[in-house]
């Protein structure tokens, strides 16, 4: 009996180890992505730019991400998605070293666009690979583990990067990300099988779901939700540094508190999705998220209420992500999961690009203290559209052509 239990435990560990390694790659990509929020002021000053102008690097990254998955993957005609996954995370080493030595805004723009393309390739492939490695009733958990790499990045990777930047320079923070990419590349190469060749899917086939209202509506929900959250996160340094109860010195701690909330949200949200399905989780998280954004002016009056606001934002904002991913593939044939997850990943970064661009315009025109109003509006839009979406039929084979 003991022997059989040990064998079962070993098999379970072997099954989940590649998923954990994929999460390590997501940790690297998440640190690379969200680090900008913590070093934006110093980086913009060093590159002789305004904070609003520096925030547009997030917009460039996000647009590149949105286009990177469906367009670049098709253009490269890769027949082994797992091999491309490994190449994408390995290339993070080079692009982050380029960001570390950037001497002009256009060099940084090139580095961020390249990083966005690579993340756009890696993330949906990692999510689809993780979902395909486990039984159907564990998909939500597998997706949450991969997404957990990103939430842990906001809890640990980004604060460490900000701390490194504080001790030395924001440039050294990008060297730190490059080192993480080396570790992720080694872990994935040793644990994730490259698999056999798979048919190349034409670009027209990849974007075919966009012709279907059910899929398009789901993607707009993702765009609006991500726009709301990242509109605040991108400029968190400017927003909270100006709050009398917080100040610039506490921004790193708030980023860590948000990461803690994100980790809790992914763990709890994925378990709820596996047990109750994605619909109640989506509607519940979006409702709380909208209320949290609306209460920001009151929350920022004290440090304690600000921390609560940030943690709640992290919990519901990140519980939304695996629920939305699961809802995209729950009723679709398994072979279509990569396409749907790829489109959803692109929609996430369209939302981030929109949020960072709107945030830059708000800062330039009204000031950082007014961002919460626009974030609340987009959160409410996401909630309303999600309600509309869930009275329609689910995504099926017909929805993806």
């Amino acid at each position: 009996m003991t022997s059989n239990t040990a064998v079962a435990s070993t098999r379970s560990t072997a099954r989940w180890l590649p998923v954990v390694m994929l999460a390590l790659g997501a940790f690297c990509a998440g640190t690379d992505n969200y680090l900008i929020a913590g070093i934006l002021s110093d980086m913009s000053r060093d590159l002789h730019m305004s904070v609003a102008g520096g925030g547009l690097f997030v917009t460039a990254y996000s647009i590149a991400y949105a286009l990177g998955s469906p367009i670049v993957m098709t253009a490269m005609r890769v027949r082994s998605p797992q091999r491309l996954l490994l190449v994408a995370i390995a290339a993070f080493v080079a692009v982050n070293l380029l960001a570390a030595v950037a001497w002009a805004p256009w060099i940084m723009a090139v580095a961020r666009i390249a990083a966005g393309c690579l993340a756009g390739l890696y993330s949906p492939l990692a999510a689809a690979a993780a979902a395909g490695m486990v039984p159907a009733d564990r998909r939500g958990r597998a997706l949450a583990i991969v997404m957990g790499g990103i939430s842990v990045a906001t809890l640990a990777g980004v604060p460490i990067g900000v701390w490194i930047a504080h001790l030395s320079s924001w440039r050294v923070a990008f060297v730190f990300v490059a080192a993480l990419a080396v570790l992720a590349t080694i872990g994935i190469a040793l644990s994730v099988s490259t698999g056999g060749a798979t048919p190349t899917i034409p670009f027209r086939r990849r974007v075919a779901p966009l012709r279907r209202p059910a899929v398009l509506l789901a993607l707009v929900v993702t765009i609006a939700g991500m726009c709301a959250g990242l509109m605040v996160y991108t400029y968190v340094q400017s927003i909270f540094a100006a709050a009398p109860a917080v100040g610039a010195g506490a921004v790193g701690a708030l980023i860590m508190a948000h990461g803690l909330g994100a980790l809790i949200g992914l763990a709890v949200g994925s378990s709820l999705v596996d047990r109750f399905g994605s619909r109640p989780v989506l509607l519940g998280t979006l409702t709380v998220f909208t209320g949290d954004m609306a209460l920001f002016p009151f929350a920022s009056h004290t440090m304690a209420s600000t921390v609560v606001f940030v943690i709640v934002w992290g919990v519901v904002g990140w519980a939304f992500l695996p629920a939305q991913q699961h809802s995209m593939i729950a009723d679709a044939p398994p072979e279509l999961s990569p396409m749907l997850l790829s489109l959803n990943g692109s929609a996430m970064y369209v939302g981030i690009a929109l949020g960072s661009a709107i945030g830059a315009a708000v800062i330039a025109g009204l000031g950082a203290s007014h961002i919460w109003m626009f974030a609340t509006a987009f959160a409410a839009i996401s909630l309303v559209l999600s309600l509309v979406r869930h009275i329609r039929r689910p995504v099926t084979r017909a929805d993806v052509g």
Side-chain angles (χ1 to χ4, degrees):
M1 182 68 69
T2 303
S3 177
N4 291 338
T5 302
V7 171
S9 177
T10 300
R11 289 177 177 174
S12 177
T13 301
R15 173 186 296 170
W16 287 98
L17 180 60
V19 177
V20 174
M21 291 299 102
L22 292 171
L24 178 60
F27 175 82
C28 173
T31 302
D32 175 66
N33 179 18
Y34 295 110
L35 178 63
I36 293 290
I39 63 173
L40 183 58
S41 296
D42 293 340
M43 183 185 68
S44 299
R45 182 169 55 252
D46 199 16
L47 295 175
H48 307 292
M49 303 175 66
S50 66
V51 170
L56 294 180
F57 287 135
V58 178
T59 304
Y61 176 102
S62 302
I63 292 174
Y65 184 111
L67 299 177
S69 184
I71 294 180
V72 177
M73 192 183 299
T74 302
M76 293 179 70
R77 298 184 178 277
V78 174
R79 299 182 65 83
S80 175
Q82 292 88 346
R83 187 172 289 113
L84 178 59
L85 186 151
L86 180 60
V87 170
I89 195 64
F92 262 84
V93 178
V95 298
N96 279 283
L97 290 177
L98 178 62
V101 300
W103 60 89
W106 73 268
I107 297 294
M108 179 60 74
V110 169
R112 300 314 295 158
I113 290 171
C117 285
L118 292 171
L121 292 174
Y122 178 85
S123 297
L125 289 173
M133 292 175 182
V134 299
D137 62 347
R138 292 292 182 267
R139 277 184 174 183
R141 189 167 301 173
L143 289 170
I145 290 175
V146 174
M147 293 300 299
I150 301 178
S151 67
V152 173
T154 65
L155 175 64
V158 174
I160 291 173
V162 172
W163 177 68
I164 290 172
H166 178 72
L167 291 180
S168 52
S169 165
W170 60 268
R171 297 180 184 277
V172 181
F174 279 109
V175 175
F176 164 67
V177 177
L180 289 178
V182 172
L183 295 176
T185 301
I186 294 172
I188 292 172
L190 294 178
S191 65
V192 179
S193 172
T194 57
T198 57
T200 301
I201 302 175
F203 178 73
R204 181 177 298 179
R205 171 72 169 164
R206 292 185 184 278
V207 299
L210 296 178
R211 298 198 301 265
R212 303 290 180 170
V215 176
L216 193 60
L217 183 59
L219 297 177
V220 175
V221 170
T222 299
I223 291 171
M226 294 302 295
C227 176
L230 272 295
M231 190 185 304
V232 177
Y233 192 92
T234 301
Y235 301 100
V236 65
Q237 192 173 28
S238 298
I239 293 171
F240 289 112
V246 182
V251 171
L254 291 179
I255 290 176
M256 185 176 294
H258 180 273
L260 176 61
L263 197 61
I264 295 171
L266 279 171
V268 175
S270 62
S271 297
L272 292 175
V273 167
D274 285 337
R275 184 172 182 181
F276 300 109
S278 57
R279 177 178 178 176
V281 180
L282 279 174
L283 298 181
T285 55
L286 286 173
T287 299
V288 177
F289 177 54
T290 302
D292 195 47
M293 288 292 110
L295 291 173
F296 170 74
F298 306 99
S300 60
H301 286 169
T302 69
M303 186 64 185
S305 58
T306 300
V307 170
V308 172
F309 164 82
V310 169
I311 292 177
V312 172
W313 166 28
V315 170
V316 296
W318 286 78
F320 161 78
L321 295 177
Q324 180 71 341
Q325 284 186 317
H326 188 276
S327 73
M328 295 291 295
I329 65 175
D331 299 288
E335 67 271 15
L336 300 177
S337 294
M339 281 189 292
L340 292 172
L341 289 172
S342 174
L343 287 173
N344 189 62
S346 294
M348 288 172 58
Y349 280 83
V350 168
I352 294 173
L354 184 62
S356 59
I358 292 174
V362 172
I363 288 177
L366 300 174
S369 62
H370 291 79
I371 285 181
W372 70 272
M373 294 187 294
F374 295 85
T376 302
F378 276 92
I381 291 171
S382 183
L383 172 60
V384 171
L385 293 180
S386 188
L387 285 168
V388 173
R389 176 194 172 200
H390 283 96
I391 64 174
R392 302 174 68 95
R393 65 183 180 85
V395 177
T396 62
R397 187 185 297 271
D399 288 319
V400 289

